[in-house]
Amino acid sequence: MNKVNNILPKHIAIVMDGNGRWAERRNQSRMSGHEAGVKAVEKVIKAAIEKNIKVVTLFAFGIENWGRPAQEVKFLMRLFIKNLYNQSEEFVKNNIQLRVIGDRDRIDPKLQDKINQVQQLTAKNTGLTLIIAFNYSGRWDILQAVRCISQKVQNGEFTTEEISYQHIQDALCLSDLPEPDLFIRTSGELRISNFMLWQFAYTELYFTEVLWPDFDEVTLEEALRVFSLRQRRYGLTGKQIKKATVN
Ligand code: FPP
């Protein structure tokens, strides 16, 4: 067997898709699907800690999700704030550092305050770094990076010609963390949906039919197994990679 990459991913990024379909199959409201989705989040956090995964990023609310029915948007906002209140002690107890990425402008000030509070409370934690992408999109991330770089050019910090990949990298969210090694999307949809567009340049993609509320430690384990069989080549040949692994 071609088992070339038996290391664990340091960073897993997940699109938690299929809450609505999970609920509809049970003749329940979409909201109960999202509530069941929160339970899956808890299971995955626990499993990630047990597996010693360093960073998990969860796409909880995309900028495009504002277009959903107002009632669902309101529910998702409330669900997020409720969980920040309920989970903050658990984050502290489990040494989890919580970070929220995304455009804060449209977020309710009360929710912003709570986000800041939990981020501060957990900032020094050294275990799992849990990133919640909320009112986030990959294009927004690139846009805010471009604005930040333009400002630096205006300030005379460097010229347009001097702009490098590193400047872009540094201006993006999560620039201090390893890029995701593994992307997981549940529910059988085969898309990235405006998630971490820059950061996914060399991320291994894994898609599963499992609906998000059914995702658990067993399905995570399967994703990790598949990841462990991948050969990450970064533009090189398989032979070069094998040689580098042996040396
Ligand atoms: C996608 O499923 C799911 C979302 C847009 C929301 C994800 C939110 C959660 C899992 C719960 C909140 C998370 C935290 C971190 C508290 P969908 O609604 O698009 O499902 P469908 O494609 O079957 O309709």
Side-chain angles (χ1 to χ4, degrees):
M1 197 198 293
N2 183 25
K3 189 165 171 46
V4 285
N5 173 27
N6 58 5
I7 53 162
L8 283 169
K10 288 193 187 74
H11 183 171
I12 305 178
I14 310 180
V15 169
M16 309 178 285
D17 201 4
N19 295 348
R21 277 163 286 168
W22 182 92
E24 277 156 21
R25 284 177 199 175
R26 286 163 177 75
N27 287 323
Q28 293 173 11
S29 72
R30 293 181 56 81
M31 318 307 157
S32 65
H34 294 313
E35 270 169 346
V38 172
K39 294 205 178 85
V41 168
E42 288 166 11
K43 281 186 202 161
V44 167
I45 293 173
K46 193 164 170 266
I49 293 172
E50 278 164 14
K51 293 263 160 222
N52 205 20
I53 305 287
K54 298 289 171 220
V55 187
V56 172
T57 299
L58 303 174
F59 203 0
F61 191 85
I63 288 176
E64 288 79 14
N65 291 144
W66 287 106
R68 291 189 174 211
Q71 190 202 10
E72 183 168 342
V73 170
K74 203 168 157 191
F75 183 86
L76 284 168
M77 294 290 154
R78 286 208 179 138
L79 192 63
F80 185 45
I81 195 163
K82 185 174 117 189
N83 276 281
L84 281 179
Y85 275 100
N86 291 349
Q87 294 295 320
S88 51
E89 270 181 36
E90 285 293 303
F91 293 151
V92 173
K93 203 172 94 190
N94 293 312
N95 197 20
I96 296 171
Q97 186 188 125
L98 181 90
R99 284 206 231 169
V100 178
I101 55 168
D103 186 357
R104 295 282 171 90
D105 285 354
R106 244 180 119 173
I107 297 182
D108 185 277
K110 206 172 130 200
L111 178 52
Q112 289 196 37
D113 286 349
K114 190 63 199 171
I115 289 171
N116 292 336
Q117 198 189 325
V118 181
Q119 286 191 153
Q120 273 168 26
L121 191 71
T122 63
K124 292 204 167 68
N125 288 353
T126 54
L128 175 74
T129 300
L130 176 65
I131 319 282
I132 307 289
F134 198 83
N135 200 24
Y136 176 86
S137 83
R139 286 182 180 171
W140 167 81
D141 197 1
I142 293 169
L143 176 66
Q144 66 80 27
V146 169
R147 286 183 178 146
C148 166
I149 291 166
S150 306
Q151 191 59 57
K152 288 186 172 171
V153 170
Q154 260 185 4
N155 296 347
E157 291 182 38
F158 44 79
T159 65
T160 309
E161 290 70 33
E162 284 167 347
I163 296 173
S164 63
Y165 288 138
Q166 193 59 48
H167 286 123
I168 302 173
Q169 172 72 26
D170 291 347
L172 289 165
C173 293
L174 310 185
S175 59
D176 58 323
L177 295 175
E179 285 173 358
D181 307 289
L182 175 63
F183 163 84
I184 299 174
R185 183 176 189 141
T186 55
S187 90
E189 306 292 344
L190 308 177
R191 288 185 293 278
I192 289 173
S193 294
N194 209 354
F195 200 10
M196 305 170 81
L197 300 180
W198 174 280
Q199 295 88 339
F200 283 167
Y202 284 101
T203 301
E204 293 295 324
L205 308 180
Y206 175 81
F207 298 95
T208 170
E209 294 288 326
V210 171
L211 301 175
W212 178 251
D214 293 328
F215 199 85
D216 59 12
E217 55 287 347
V218 177
T219 37
L220 178 67
E221 185 73 48
E222 174 58 10
L224 296 177
R225 188 190 68 78
V226 172
F227 174 81
S228 77
L229 299 175
R230 301 269 177 96
Q231 187 190 47
R232 305 188 73 194
R233 290 202 285 271
Y234 301 96
L236 303 183
T237 67
K239 212 167 157 188
Q240 285 176 303
I241 296 295
K242 268 191 193 149
K243 204 169 157 202
T245 320
V246 171
N247 293 338

